[in-house]
């Protein structure tokens, strides 16, 4: 590679990394906005979340294309190739987090538009802030190639799962006491499920970061192994 | 490329395609087995589904690795590169379908192990057979690069979604009549949700097939556009 080509290549790789982080930032904003508007009942904000989702989809397509182009033109090897292959996976998860935010916004709109008084009072904000925190940390880990942050995200996924189970228990109690809450309760259940899935996707992103840095695939290997991978050089 | 290298390359590509189909077949079997055992209450079969999931995870890791290797060693271009990049995406969806089958098996075990008599009688088999049919057709489309089969899968996803909504309605009726069914009802709800997600993942696979063949990304573009892409040469 000539010096010029190599500079150009570095520039292209950096541009891909930057856009992944940009996409991640947008996705993070979408969740935060959906959850905030669920609490306040701000229908305009919810509508905005639904409207903005296509921008995230578009970013995914552009980034996928940029990855294919860079592989075709630059034939990256070793670390660089691992970065590109990880990005292809990471953006799929980010796009699906975007989908979950959109689902939350849609269900929240329905909840606030209905005149049903039978809405079980269940708090989703704690679970949601845990999931957003996981996503933020996973993106940080991607930006700084920080293995221990990535391992921390994998660990946190258990907390989100525990929160989710707590929400289900609360819901069962509500519905037993007043079966008229079932219909709205199911909406809340699926919002909680969406939050739990956001945690799963953030965990996937963190695992791709570990692969990117260590060249070691830690998916499906359990937390202990992931922490071992993160702590060895 | 020498003739020898080119033969070797073709062989490697073919081997990747074959293993994707193998992985797809295993995943298909997992869903069918989980759904069958949900109906019959065969706890051994359910346990087998849970046990076998790690084999699918392993296949994903192996295939991911094979894709990285082939890109690094053979520097594929155009169609071949598109095939490899599509495989990287397709196997993520197949692995996640495997996860959903495992979830169905786990929830089904819990349902059949509990001594609760309050199980709402809701039939999931029709929705499940639709989802399995989508997956099978998506894999066929991948094997034969059949665009119209791929478009058909995207169309079918609506049917699965409609089935899912019908299941929710039935469930609401059950719980209103007998609130004691709520706890088991939530398990059934999440099994239905898992089936709906299998449909989504099969649809993703079909969209990657269209990209593979046409070099045109049809994700997020709507059914009409996908059918147009499938019908033009």
């Amino acid at each position: 590679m000539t010096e010029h080509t190599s500079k150009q290549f570095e520039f292209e790789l950096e541009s891909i990394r930057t856009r992944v982080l940009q996409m991640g930032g947008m996705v993070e904003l979408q969740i935060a906005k959906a959850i905030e508007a669920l609490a306040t009942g701000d229908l305009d904000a919810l509508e905005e979340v639904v409207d903005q989702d296509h921008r995230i989809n578009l970013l995914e397509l552009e980034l996928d294309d940029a990855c294919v182009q860079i592989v075709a033109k630059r034939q990256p090897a070793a670390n660089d190739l691992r970065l590109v292959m990880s990005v292809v996976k990471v953006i799929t998860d980010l796009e699906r987090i975007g989908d979950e935010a959109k689902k939350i916004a849609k269900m929240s709109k329905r909840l606030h538009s209905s005149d049903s008084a039978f809405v079980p009072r269940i708090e989703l904000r704690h679970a949601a802030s845990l999931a957003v925190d996981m996503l933020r940390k996973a993106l940080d880990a991607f930006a700084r190639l920080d293995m221990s942050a990535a391992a921390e995200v994998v660990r946190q996924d258990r907390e989100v799962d525990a929160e989710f189970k707590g929400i289900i228990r609360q819901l069962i109690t509500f519905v037993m006491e007043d079966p008229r809450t079932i219909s709205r309760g199911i909406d809340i259940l699926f919002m909680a499920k969406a939050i739990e899935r956001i945690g799963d996707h953030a965990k996937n992103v963190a695992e791709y970061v570990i692969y990117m840095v260590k060249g070691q695939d830690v998916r499906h290997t359990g937390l202990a192994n992931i922490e071992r991978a993160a702590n060895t050089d």
Side-chain angles (χ1 to χ4, degrees), chain A:
Chain A
M1 244 188 243
T2 66
E3 198 184 327
H4 173 75
T5 320
S6 143
K7 277 245 167 71
Q8 182 62 24
F9 174 51
E10 262 171 50
F11 173 79
E12 286 171 13
L13 270 187
E14 195 49 42
S15 150
I16 285 177
R17 280 168 48 90
T18 307
R19 276 188 287 168
V20 170
L21 292 171
Q22 223 174 339
M23 182 179 176
M26 282 169 66
V27 168
E28 193 186 317
L29 214 65
Q30 288 277 89
I31 314 169
K33 199 166 176 180
I35 295 294
E36 173 67 25
L38 165 64
T40 60
D42 182 342
L43 292 177
D44 289 340
L46 292 171
E47 191 57 49
E48 276 167 35
V49 172
V50 175
D51 279 351
Q52 291 296 307
D53 185 52
H54 77 276
R55 291 186 54 199
I56 291 162
N57 297 344
L58 197 66
L59 261 176
E60 186 201 9
L61 298 184
E62 285 174 9
L63 272 163
D64 256 330
D65 195 48
C67 289
V68 173
Q69 296 300 331
I70 209 170
V71 169
K73 273 177 21 197
R74 309 286 179 194
Q75 300 161 349
N79 283 349
D80 295 336
L81 180 56
R82 272 215 308 271
L83 168 66
V84 175
M85 296 308 254
S86 304
V87 165
V88 167
K89 299 274 198 181
V90 163
I91 57 178
T92 310
D93 281 295
L94 291 181
E95 190 272 329
R96 291 188 190 161
I97 295 180
D99 285 347
E100 300 298 336
K102 182 180 170 184
K103 276 185 216 161
I104 293 173
K106 274 187 164 179
M107 286 185 277
S108 176
K109 260 177 75 180
R110 194 161 67 204
L111 209 62
H112 284 291
S113 309
S114 86
D115 44 9
S116 168
F118 311 122
V119 179
R121 304 231 158 273
I122 290 174
E123 191 51 76
L124 299 177
R125 266 183 291 188
H126 186 231
S129 75
L130 273 174
V132 170
D133 191 51
M134 283 177 70
L135 172 61
R136 196 176 299 137
K137 217 172 269 169
L139 291 168
D140 269 8
F142 177 88
R144 297 185 283 114
L145 302 179
D146 180 340
M147 301 279 291
S148 64
E152 172 73 20
V153 173
V154 176
R155 202 160 32 236
Q156 273 185 304
D157 192 40
R158 294 182 177 183
E159 290 172 44
V160 176
D161 289 351
E163 278 287 316
F164 177 60
K165 283 188 186 130
I167 290 167
I168 293 179
R169 276 194 303 273
Q170 281 181 59
L171 198 90
I172 290 175
T173 311
F174 268 108
V175 173
M176 295 279 258
E177 279 171 13
D178 182 357
R180 291 169 305 176
T181 59
I182 177 68
S183 191
R184 298 294 127 205
I186 287 177
D187 281 337
I188 290 173
L189 198 63
F190 282 130
M191 286 196 264
K193 181 75 184 162
I195 292 168
E196 186 244 4
R197 292 203 59 82
I198 289 170
D200 287 345
H201 288 297
K203 182 183 163 211
N204 293 340
V205 171
E207 287 175 350
Y208 294 130
V209 170
I210 298 177
Y211 167 70
M212 220 163 79
V213 180
K214 306 286 283 189
Q216 188 180 345
D217 215 319
V218 294
R219 286 174 284 172
H220 323 300
T221 61
L223 185 57
N225 192 54
I226 287 167
E227 287 179 332
R228 207 162 28 244
N231 292 325
T232 54
D233 285 304

